[in-house]
Amino acid sequence: MNTTTSTSAGPRELPLQGIKILDFTRVLAGPLSTALLADLGAEVIKIEPPQGDDYRAIGPMKNGQSALFSVMNRNKQSLVLDLKHADAVALVHEMVQQADVVVENFRPGVAERLGIGPEKLRSLNPRLVYVSVSGFGQTGPMAHRPAYDIIVQAMSGLMEATGEPEGAPTLVGEAVSDVVAGLFASWATLAALLQAQRTGQGQQVDVAMFDTTLTFLATSVSRYLFTGKPARRVGNRHPLSAPFGVYKARDGHFALAVLNKKLFDATVLAMDLPELVNDPRYATDETRSANEPSLRAALEGWTLQHDVADVVARLDAAGVPVAPIWNIEQALESPQIQARGLLRPVDDERLPDLRLPTQPVHFNGCAPNRAVRAPALGEHTDLLLSSWLGRSSEAIAALREAGVLGTAEAAQH
């Protein structure tokens, strides 16, 4: 796909065009980080074992293709190498001399045992940025522990702070720890690349799901540092402000966000409740929060007489932050998201009419984000060994015969 766009000012490139990344990651956090970079033009080579990334077999499936793999590995090329073979490791050592970045999410110590650890690869390319994504980081007493999203949600305080006050700690309805780690990893990769370009020296970047999730919990961390108290479960309301949460209407629920007296007055006047404007119980954000049950009863006395659409229209006209509660279909298919172009049509003979998300930031001085389907397992093995390393077709066939590249079927499908 051509990633430059001609304009009257000349061709425009993608922001990361020319950056070469060797991607050893699998499942979610690591692949998401490199997908975000690939969206913006980085050449991402996904190096997979002969059996492929585990996510290739995780549902939901359509026409034999995994939804999760397809989304997290868009805009990448797949190279199959069996790193148990010394010749496969030697190929990595050759490729890394041309790379700008290596990203891996093995458990600490595994990359070193495979011969592709940061010390070895950076000795071959001192400018290399080597990004390690793991559950608990490369250091500390828990560094050796495996981690999935639910484990980190449980240990970070996120789960304990989520749910109804009298209910059980609740898992957030998204793999938030994986996603946050992926976001921090992509950001950290770019920061390290900038330093490498300035100084000529790369480095290892250590990204931990546990650390990044705690950083993500910005309000919980802030409250603890100033009060010494952990966040408590408050259900569908803000722990410190009111009215700030989910409320009932006649035909469903809506979300309301009121953070100051001006908005509070606008809210109650729009609801034909002028007597609440001067009620001392609701004079400040702090007193409104302390008296949240009585305030909720007063507001819902009005909202339960109206449909969600009417409540939202009335409050929106008054300048109050308010919203219906949408499902993912309503959000993705909304006119707003269609106008913003978050979903991009992608050509894929395996999945007709495929759309994939792209990174969400708009850059007005570069070409549009790339939109290329995820690769088949080993699809680009021969091409990459030829274009990056100059291997002949005979040499590639010999490597495959020796088991270095997995089976011939892996390269064809």
Side-chain angles (χ1 to χ4, degrees):
M1 178 179 179
N2 185 0
T3 56
T4 61
T5 300
S6 295
T7 69
S8 58
R12 293 187 298 165
E13 293 188 345
L14 287 163
L16 301 182
Q17 200 155 324
I19 299 296
K20 294 183 176 182
I21 300 174
L22 300 183
D23 179 4
F24 292 91
T25 67
R26 69 271 188 223
V27 187
L28 204 167
L32 174 61
S33 75
T34 51
L36 294 169
L37 302 175
D39 289 342
L40 295 177
E43 182 181 1
V44 177
I45 310 305
K46 184 176 180 69
I47 298 180
E48 299 186 72
Q51 70 273 20
D53 183 335
D54 290 345
Y55 248 26
R56 288 186 179 274
I58 299 298
M61 308 292 287
K62 183 177 181 180
N63 296 345
Q65 305 302 312
S66 162
L68 293 169
F69 182 88
S70 297
V71 169
M72 303 306 162
N73 294 282
R74 59 188 185 264
N75 296 320
K76 301 178 187 180
Q77 300 176 76
S78 174
L79 166 62
V80 167
L81 291 176
D82 188 344
L83 296 177
K84 296 175 183 177
H85 284 260
D87 287 345
V89 176
L91 292 173
V92 172
H93 292 174
E94 283 189 64
M95 295 187 75
V96 81
Q97 296 176 54
Q98 300 182 44
D100 300 290
V101 179
V102 164
V103 187
E104 56 89 9
N105 63 350
F106 300 112
R107 285 173 61 181
V110 172
E112 285 81 358
R113 290 196 295 273
L114 291 172
I116 59 169
E119 185 174 341
K120 176 60 180 179
L121 297 192
R122 292 195 60 247
S123 72
L124 299 170
N125 179 358
R127 294 177 60 90
L128 183 71
V129 171
Y130 189 106
V131 182
S132 298
V133 183
S134 63
F136 295 97
Q138 304 298 305
T139 60
M142 294 194 294
H144 67 285
R145 294 185 60 170
Y148 283 88
D149 181 83
I150 189 173
I151 302 301
V152 178
Q153 285 200 37
M155 296 183 69
S156 65
L158 176 58
M159 195 181 295
E160 175 62 25
T162 305
E164 293 299 325
E166 304 304 322
T170 302
L171 182 70
V172 174
E174 176 55 72
V176 64
S177 294
D178 277 309
V179 172
V180 168
L183 292 172
F184 272 99
S186 63
W187 167 84
T189 299
L190 296 178
L193 273 173
L194 184 63
Q195 184 181 34
Q197 291 175 356
R198 189 172 68 246
T199 66
Q201 289 295 314
Q203 61 182 293
Q204 183 181 14
V205 177
D206 178 1
V207 182
M209 290 171 62
F210 190 45
D211 300 355
T212 55
T213 301
L214 279 166
T215 302
F216 171 73
L217 303 179
T219 59
S220 295
V221 169
S222 299
R223 291 201 303 274
Y224 170 73
L225 293 176
F226 272 64
T227 69
K229 298 178 181 179
R232 67 188 193 280
R233 292 192 293 282
V234 293
N236 284 326
R237 58 155 292 195
H238 194 281
L240 300 176
S241 300
F244 204 118
V246 175
Y247 296 85
K248 296 178 183 178
R250 184 163 54 196
D251 63 342
H253 294 79
F254 66 96
L256 178 64
V258 172
L259 196 60
N260 57 51
K261 186 63 163 64
K262 180 180 178 181
L263 283 174
F264 177 74
D265 290 351
T267 299
V268 296
L269 289 174
M271 291 182 177
D272 300 324
L273 299 170
E275 67 275 12
L276 300 186
V277 170
N278 296 315
D279 191 318
R281 295 174 297 172
Y282 312 132
T284 68
D285 193 58
E286 187 175 13
T287 60
R288 289 193 297 276
S289 184
N291 292 284
E292 197 274 342
S294 64
L295 177 57
R296 177 180 290 270
L299 298 184
E300 290 185 344
W302 182 85
T303 61
L304 284 168
Q305 301 176 50
H306 299 80
D307 291 344
V308 168
D310 296 331
V311 173
V312 170
R314 177 86 69 98
L315 294 177
D316 185 55
V320 177
V322 63
I325 296 176
W326 285 349
N327 60 33
I328 191 68
E329 179 184 10
Q330 290 170 303
L332 286 176
E333 304 299 346
S334 67
Q336 179 66 19
I337 287 302
Q338 290 181 19
R340 298 286 290 173
L342 183 64
L343 297 180
R344 301 285 303 279
V346 174
D347 292 330
D348 189 341
E349 64 279 5
R350 305 165 301 180
L351 296 166
D353 302 318
L354 177 65
R355 294 179 298 167
L356 292 176
T358 187
Q359 68 79 37
V361 179
H362 291 248
F363 298 83
N364 64 12
C366 64
N369 295 346
R370 287 199 304 187
V372 179
R373 65 168 175 80
L377 179 60
E379 179 179 349
H380 304 95
T381 298
D382 291 26
L383 173 65
L384 290 166
L385 292 180
S386 173
S387 62
W388 274 53
L389 303 182
R391 293 296 195 273
S392 66
S393 56
E394 292 78 12
I396 295 170
L399 289 169
R400 183 164 287 112
E401 181 67 25
V404 174
L405 311 180
T407 64
E409 288 76 16
Q412 295 169 358
H413 296 290

